[in-house]
Amino acid sequence: NQQLVGLNQAQDPANDPDLFFDPVTKATVRKGAQANTSPLGGGGGGGGGGVAAPVASSTAAAAPAATTTPVAAADDNTASCAPPVTVTVTSTPAAATIADTTGTCAPPTTVTVTVDADGTDPKEVSTTAAPPAATSQAAATPAAPSGALDFGSCTNPAVEFGPAFEGRKLSENSFQPQNKNEFPQASALNGQIVLNAICNILNDRCKAPAATVAACKAAVTAVANVVGGAKADQFNAALGITSDFANVPAAPGGGPGSAALASTANFNKCDVPTVEFGIFDGRKENSFAPSGNGFVHGSALNGNIITQFICDRVKSDCNANTVAINDCTAAIAATQGKTGQAFADAFNTAVAQNV
């Protein structure tokens, strides 16, 4: 339409006269890169919406200016149709930057635009780029939280493993939070119950950051099939806390334990039991009888009756620890094949080996 000849998109005088903003592509384009940067009918006409050529980076080498050969003027009625003009622009990538960890450059991109001689009718736009070089590096995995985790308003989400928590027997190991004030969760034989509770309290009560809660939940999943003190140790380690409950369980009832305590037999409510061999209960023959506070039983000709009674009491009424129970079981085995005083001596030696 001849009435539109000479129109051009507005350009703020304060701006760079060679840079334009294309509202269609929402990109900055250089003057002459597409038709709507020049007045309509003025040699670079046509509406907006063409392909925006990227503005060269300040680090890239400037490409030499292209030279053009004038074509037949629009009022040259002696000519038929002027041949189309093809302009090819190849972007030269900048040198590898510090972010380019491979030390190589990106492949060049070629944009080809074919227009009529008067520059008013774009016919074809094609863009080609070499595919990026393959890399042998595997996809990066999410990094684990670095540094100390933020536990919000709480200070110690560690779990402990040991005997006799909350009135349980000395021989019954369970899990519980080390800090019951911050993490008011009861002890449990199933450690997953306690670990999940700790993560929930970190989130709901301590208001710990999402990254801390995520690390806690990941630790619960990771130790699902781990048992005993190692379960507590691995969970604590994931939260940045060091413990050694696998080798040194907590003290009976909770709190710091010790290696000596963990390896010492504790018969608790009873004396260290012994078996005697002699004349008891008005018998005329020798027999076996238990000795020690907490072991009241009549004599028996069969020593196995007495030793089994003793070990049953150690497990139940005496509330002995695991070491004492195991030693009593080992003492029964030590008597096999023995009789008389040798039978009694073998039991007495083995049952007291870790006292």
Side-chain angles (χ1 to χ4, degrees):
N1 191 321
Q2 293 301 313
Q3 292 179 340
L4 300 181
V5 172
L7 292 182
N8 188 32
Q9 62 173 316
Q11 173 74 332
D12 191 326
N15 291 345
D16 186 331
D18 291 329
L19 299 180
F20 289 79
F21 176 73
D22 186 349
V24 176
T25 63
K26 292 182 173 56
T28 299
V29 296
R30 192 174 295 282
K31 184 175 182 180
Q34 59 188 48
N36 60 354
T37 61
S38 300
L40 295 179
V51 175
V55 177
S57 167
S58 61
T59 61
T67 60
T68 59
T69 301
V71 296
D75 58 355
D76 185 0
N77 294 326
T78 62
S80 54
C81 291
V85 178
T86 299
V87 180
T88 299
V89 180
T90 302
S91 67
T92 303
T97 65
I98 191 170
D100 182 6
T101 58
T102 63
T104 58
C105 298
T109 301
T110 299
V111 180
T112 301
V113 181
T114 302
V115 298
D116 282 347
D118 63 358
T120 60
D121 187 15
K123 295 299 183 182
E124 179 180 353
V125 177
S126 63
T127 303
T128 60
T135 175
S136 61
Q137 295 179 343
T141 55
S146 59
L149 292 174
D150 181 357
F151 301 131
S153 62
C154 297
T155 60
N156 181 19
V159 65
E160 63 182 357
F161 174 80
F165 294 161
E166 300 176 327
R168 295 176 183 271
K169 293 183 177 181
L170 282 179
S171 60
E172 187 173 78
N173 291 312
S174 60
F175 300 84
Q176 71 176 9
Q178 278 189 333
N179 190 329
K180 287 289 193 73
N181 292 327
E182 293 181 341
F183 298 89
Q185 165 65 35
S187 64
L189 298 177
N190 182 349
Q192 295 296 99
I193 294 173
V194 177
L195 305 187
N196 277 306
I198 288 175
C199 294
N200 291 336
I201 293 172
L202 273 174
N203 182 64
D204 301 334
R205 180 172 176 171
C206 305
K207 304 301 181 184
T212 300
V213 176
C216 185
K217 292 182 177 180
V220 174
T221 301
V223 303
N225 297 320
V226 183
V227 298
K231 185 185 195 77
D233 294 337
Q234 292 180 28
F235 174 80
N236 293 339
L239 300 183
I241 302 169
T242 301
S243 62
D244 189 24
F245 295 111
N247 297 311
V248 183
S258 67
L261 185 64
S263 60
T264 300
N266 182 356
F267 290 93
N268 199 10
K269 299 178 182 179
C270 303
D271 293 340
V272 178
T274 58
V275 173
E276 296 183 347
F277 180 73
I279 303 297
F280 307 108
D281 304 327
R283 292 176 179 271
K284 295 181 180 180
E285 67 280 357
N286 289 320
S287 62
F288 298 92
S291 176
N293 182 45
F295 303 97
V296 178
H297 191 281
S299 61
L301 297 176
N302 183 347
N304 291 323
I305 294 175
I306 302 302
T307 56
Q308 189 61 57
F309 161 76
I310 289 174
C311 290
D312 288 344
R313 293 283 291 181
V314 167
K315 294 178 183 178
S316 57
D317 294 354
C318 296
N319 191 17
N321 69 359
T322 302
V323 178
I325 292 173
N326 291 341
D327 286 350
C328 198
T329 301
I332 290 179
T335 64
Q336 300 306 304
K338 296 180 174 60
T339 60
Q341 189 60 48
F343 179 99
D345 292 343
F347 180 88
N348 297 341
T349 300
V351 80
Q353 62 182 311
N354 290 309
V355 174

